[in-house]
Amino acid sequence: MTDTPVEIRKPARSQWWDVWDQFRSHTGAFWGMVVFLIIVFAVLFGPLLWHIDPTYIDIRARNQGPSLAHPMGTDQLGRDTFARMMAGGRVSLAVGMTAMLLALVLGTLIGVLAGYFKKLDGPLMRLTDLFLALPLLPLLLVIIMLFREVLSARFGPEGGIFILMVSAIGITSWMQTARIVRGDVLALKEREFVLAARSIGTPNRRMVTRHILPNVLSPIMVSATLGIATAIITESSLSFLGLGFPPDFPTWGRLLFDSVDYLQQSPARVIWPGMAISLTVLAVNYMGDGLRDALDPRIRGR
Amino acid sequence: MAFDGARKPLVAVDDLKMHFPIYGGLLRRRVGEVKAVDGISFEIMEGETLGLVGESGCGKSTVGRALLRLYELTGGTVKIDDYDIAHASPEELRKMRPTMQMIFQDPQASLNPRMTVADIIGEPLREHQKGSALEREDRVLELMDQVGLNRDFANRYPHEFSGGQRQRIGIARALALNPKFIVCDEPIAALDVSIQAQVVNLLEELQDRLGLTYLFISHDLSMVRHIADRVAVMYLGRIAELAPRDDLYAEPLHPYTQALLSAVPEPDPSLESKVERIILRGDVPSPSNPPKGCNFCTRCPLVMDICTKREPQFQEVRPGRFVACHLFENT
């Protein structure tokens, strides 16, 4: 037997290396991450290298196809599509991820509370049903109509709309997560290791954080990745309906919306934002898949 | 270790009742209750092993869990080490937890698959002791030695172990806080026969070394004979007979105990052919609607008139031997 105290602490760190190794060995997840990182870096640092302003209008160069000066062409006002894609990606990704996080936190919280505490189950699940029964698009329209002015006045037009979009998408998409999490928590609660923890005297809050949450990680992970995808798509469809950010403020959805009128003249203009959205969603889904496997010690060993 | 009055009881159970409500109908109203445990009383002396046997669904596990108040009791009192477990507030109960621990039936299900062995065994320490992480690790490794687990396994996950090793992890977790009383809820039922002996021997060895008191729940009569000092036989939520081990196996008094013991296989084939089995007819009645009078009257081979009318008293018929049967009632 070797010197023990050292031995036990060393792998406490290497546990995350195990996760990383498993994640890397999942081909789809690895390439998904590469693609996602490329998109994120392009969107974050691209504008530093590409100096054309996304709102700069060069009316003489309008409706051009791809060229060296404009790799993705220009729009009907001569604005550079490449610059607009990068600026739009920032907003779309930020909205997608924050809205997903919000929905996830809300959904997990409500799911765990409903599943773990019997008294809260009824009220919380009826609330969830209520939200599920609401027609979301009209609701979103009403939310945006009601609060757009107020928030714009307080946080500036862009900041206000950002907060509005994120919270609107967040509070209308947590229900699926809540239901899945509740179901899993209900099943977990009856498992013997929860009983064992109770016989030890673990209080409820640590029971949730130590025994329940790690074991519902898989469904949360899946709904997180799907959540990013739906959040980006919802934001796109809202912008597409002309309800999201102001018209001159590029997002992927807005770019798509603006390009539809020119679908026949320059189909490439629809393809760029469409492809960006699909690629991001696909990459994130694969990443989530790999992450879920990597976080499960039973799968990790294989 | 026979019953002797000089030692004081560590666990005293008085008229323990555990009823689970049944909800039904359109409005989910309470339409009845499953009387899983219906008024049982017994004591466990310090350092003793009480075997609790009975067929599936007779309420054995419920007794074990109710004793540690993993369920809210319907009625009765449970005293462990002179603390009233049944009526303690959550905070008091939490402070009492270290004296009583439990070993579970299914070692696969009773270990959190996302925690390492060191985390699992260390959890009780983290909850109840204010030691540094280093001290905790030392104690975890010490416990692993105690139950015969290799120290190198500390950072592995439960699924990487065999059933017997997993049960050892469960035992180490139960021992972590130096408990006085351990409820063993069919600790060997899910294990191979070859491993069962190892685990039982480990439990006995730990008892000798640490002076533990066990409630050993099992349906394996030969194993109970091996480990228990006294044996309680349960039928349909009540104790039918409670007696010192040797007396019970030599001369069972209650008709149900007789039937139960006659079902134990005889290893000697020449004797096996001579064994007369008492085959009980019919099924166990539903615990939500137990028969009137003695709860064994529907299947008892020696049923009398009085059995269907009056419930037999659980009383001491010979020194140390308690039976609930009208055949032995001397009132």
Side-chain angles (χ1 to χ4, degrees):
Chain A
M1 297 222 177
T2 39
D3 194 23
T4 38
V6 185
E7 177 194 325
I8 202 170
R9 211 158 312 110
K10 174 191 66 188
R13 250 188 65 224
S14 80
Q15 208 161 301
W16 291 104
W17 284 112
D18 287 350
V19 173
W20 169 239
D21 282 343
Q22 171 67 29
F23 185 80
R24 240 180 4 180
S25 70
H26 192 297
T27 327
F30 182 70
W31 288 109
M33 190 187 64
V34 170
V35 169
F36 186 69
L37 283 183
I38 289 175
I39 293 175
V40 168
F41 275 110
V43 150
L44 278 184
F45 302 112
L48 300 178
L49 304 171
W50 189 253
H51 293 293
I52 300 178
D53 190 271
T55 51
Y56 173 73
I57 296 174
D58 181 6
I59 205 76
R60 273 171 298 181
R62 66 199 171 119
N63 287 335
Q64 278 182 359
S67 65
L68 266 184
H70 305 289
M72 291 185 185
T74 56
D75 66 3
Q76 74 279 11
L77 294 174
R79 293 175 294 196
D80 180 50
T81 307
F82 188 49
R84 286 177 75 72
M85 281 288 293
M86 289 188 293
R90 276 185 177 184
V91 181
S92 283
L93 283 182
V95 168
M97 296 216 257
T98 1
M100 176 273 291
L101 270 181
L102 185 67
L104 210 63
V105 168
L106 261 178
T108 310
L109 183 75
I110 289 177
V112 166
L113 286 180
Y116 195 79
F117 299 101
K118 215 172 177 183
K119 275 186 193 144
L120 293 174
D121 190 16
L124 284 179
M125 279 301 112
R126 295 299 80 74
L127 181 77
T128 312
D129 289 345
L130 181 83
F131 266 89
L132 273 173
L134 287 174
L136 288 189
L137 211 53
L139 180 75
L140 281 173
L141 302 188
V142 172
I143 292 177
I144 287 166
M145 200 186 72
L146 285 179
F147 296 109
R148 180 190 261 176
E149 300 304 317
V150 189
L151 284 169
S152 298
R154 168 95 32 110
F155 299 103
E158 273 115 57
I161 292 285
F162 181 79
I163 293 172
L164 185 62
M165 296 287 283
V166 164
S167 37
I169 296 171
I171 43 180
T172 51
S173 54
W174 53 269
M175 293 82 74
Q176 301 297 343
T177 318
R179 284 191 145 192
I180 297 167
V181 168
R182 170 188 173 260
D184 270 38
V185 171
L186 280 180
L188 274 174
K189 214 172 59 164
E190 299 304 318
R191 295 276 294 277
E192 271 190 341
F193 66 81
V194 173
L195 207 63
R198 205 129 45 91
S199 79
I200 284 166
T202 308
N204 279 334
R205 68 199 129 85
R206 276 201 289 280
M207 191 86 94
V208 168
T209 52
R210 192 180 295 155
H211 295 287
I212 304 282
L213 276 183
N215 282 292
V216 289
L217 210 61
S218 317
I220 292 180
M221 221 65 211
V222 174
S223 52
T225 53
L226 292 176
I228 282 198
T230 36
I232 291 181
I233 289 169
T234 312
E235 186 275 322
S236 301
S237 32
L238 282 180
S239 301
F240 184 79
L241 289 170
L243 282 159
F245 289 92
D248 58 335
F249 196 76
T251 72
W252 285 343
R254 164 68 64 180
L255 288 176
L256 206 55
F257 170 58
D258 288 344
S259 321
V260 167
D261 296 340
Y262 301 88
L263 196 57
Q264 294 203 318
Q265 295 167 35
S266 48
R269 276 183 59 195
V270 187
I271 290 172
W272 296 124
M275 205 165 68
I277 294 172
S278 318
L279 261 183
T280 314
V281 169
L282 197 67
V284 170
N285 275 351
Y286 269 117
M287 266 166 65
D289 201 26
L291 204 56
R292 185 192 43 173
D293 285 0
L295 286 174
D296 190 335
R298 278 162 297 185
I299 297 175
R300 206 189 298 150
R302 281 172 214 156
Chain B
M1 271 189 281
F3 180 86
D4 72 81
R7 281 186 297 168
K8 74 176 179 58
L10 181 72
V11 182
V13 180
D14 187 34
D15 198 27
L16 174 69
K17 281 189 184 135
M18 190 64 236
H19 298 178
F20 295 102
I22 306 169
Y23 296 101
L26 204 57
L27 297 169
R28 314 292 303 155
R29 261 188 312 215
R30 192 182 171 121
V31 292
E33 51 200 5
V34 176
K35 292 173 177 155
V37 178
D38 200 18
I40 68 171
S41 312
F42 60 87
E43 287 178 344
I44 309 177
M45 304 298 143
E46 219 167 326
E48 182 191 44
T49 303
L50 178 70
L52 189 58
V53 296
E55 59 197 292
S56 303
C58 71
K60 304 183 297 275
S61 292
T62 311
V63 171
R65 290 174 183 189
L67 243 53
L68 301 190
R69 214 173 118 182
L70 296 177
Y71 298 134
E72 288 304 316
L73 308 185
T74 313
T77 57
V78 176
K79 274 190 181 161
I80 297 180
D81 207 13
D82 288 334
Y83 288 112
D84 189 351
I85 299 295
H87 302 99
S89 71
E91 200 39 49
E92 283 171 335
L93 194 64
R94 199 173 122 72
K95 288 201 188 101
M96 289 178 214
R97 289 282 182 210
T99 43
M100 47 187 193
Q101 288 291 313
M102 188 157 183
I103 298 169
F104 289 86
Q105 173 174 8
D106 184 352
Q108 163 93 55
S110 66
L111 305 174
N112 186 342
R114 305 249 171 184
M115 279 163 86
T116 62
V117 171
D119 285 342
I120 291 173
I121 302 177
E123 186 183 3
L125 302 171
R126 247 194 299 180
E127 285 304 328
H128 289 283
Q129 284 176 2
K130 291 189 176 64
S132 70
L134 204 74
E135 284 165 13
R136 217 159 49 217
E137 273 162 24
D138 288 344
R139 175 79 179 129
V140 166
L141 293 171
E142 194 187 309
L143 284 162
M144 290 181 71
D145 288 346
Q146 237 172 34
V147 298
L149 280 170
N150 191 332
R151 287 182 167 209
D152 297 338
F153 295 162
N155 288 299
R156 300 213 184 156
Y157 290 88
H159 70 96
E160 295 171 85
F161 292 90
S162 70
Q165 285 172 318
R166 278 185 209 144
Q167 196 55 285
R168 284 166 196 268
I169 301 172
I171 294 173
R173 172 174 61 186
L175 289 177
L177 294 168
N178 297 317
K180 288 184 181 166
F181 174 54
I182 298 184
V183 174
C184 310
D185 185 0
E186 307 207 25
I188 51 168
L191 304 177
D192 283 351
V193 181
S194 57
I195 311 290
Q196 287 185 353
Q198 284 179 20
V199 170
V200 166
N201 288 340
L202 173 68
L203 286 172
E204 282 193 312
E205 190 194 314
L206 291 168
Q207 183 172 38
D208 289 346
R209 193 139 36 106
L210 306 170
L212 300 169
T213 305
Y214 290 140
L215 174 67
F216 193 87
I217 302 169
S218 181
H219 52 242
D220 185 338
L221 291 162
S222 356
M223 209 47 108
V224 169
R225 185 177 199 167
H226 176 68
I227 193 171
D229 300 314
R230 287 193 302 149
V231 180
V233 180
M234 266 187 92
Y235 181 79
L236 205 63
R238 301 218 183 109
I239 293 185
E241 182 165 0
L242 172 65
R245 170 194 54 186
D246 294 334
D247 296 355
L248 186 100
Y249 281 87
E251 190 203 354
L253 295 179
H254 196 285
Y256 178 65
T257 319
Q258 289 166 6
L260 201 64
L261 288 180
S262 82
V264 176
E266 170 62 52
D268 186 344
S270 59
L271 290 176
E272 166 75 19
S273 55
K274 293 187 198 127
V275 169
E276 257 184 65
R277 294 245 149 81
I278 305 170
I279 313 272
L280 293 178
R281 313 229 162 256
D283 286 329
V284 186
S286 159
S288 61
N289 184 21
K292 203 167 158 274
C294 173
N295 59 7
F296 189 51
C297 68
T298 52
R299 301 171 77 197
C300 185
L302 306 171
V303 66
M304 302 181 293
D305 268 354
I306 190 173
C307 298
T308 53
K309 296 193 182 97
R310 210 160 51 80
E311 196 179 309
Q313 291 290 312
F314 184 63
Q315 57 186 2
E316 191 164 8
V317 295
R318 291 180 204 172
R321 302 201 60 169
F322 297 81
V323 177
C325 182
H326 287 300
L327 286 171
F328 301 95
E329 233 159 54
N330 41 15
T331 40

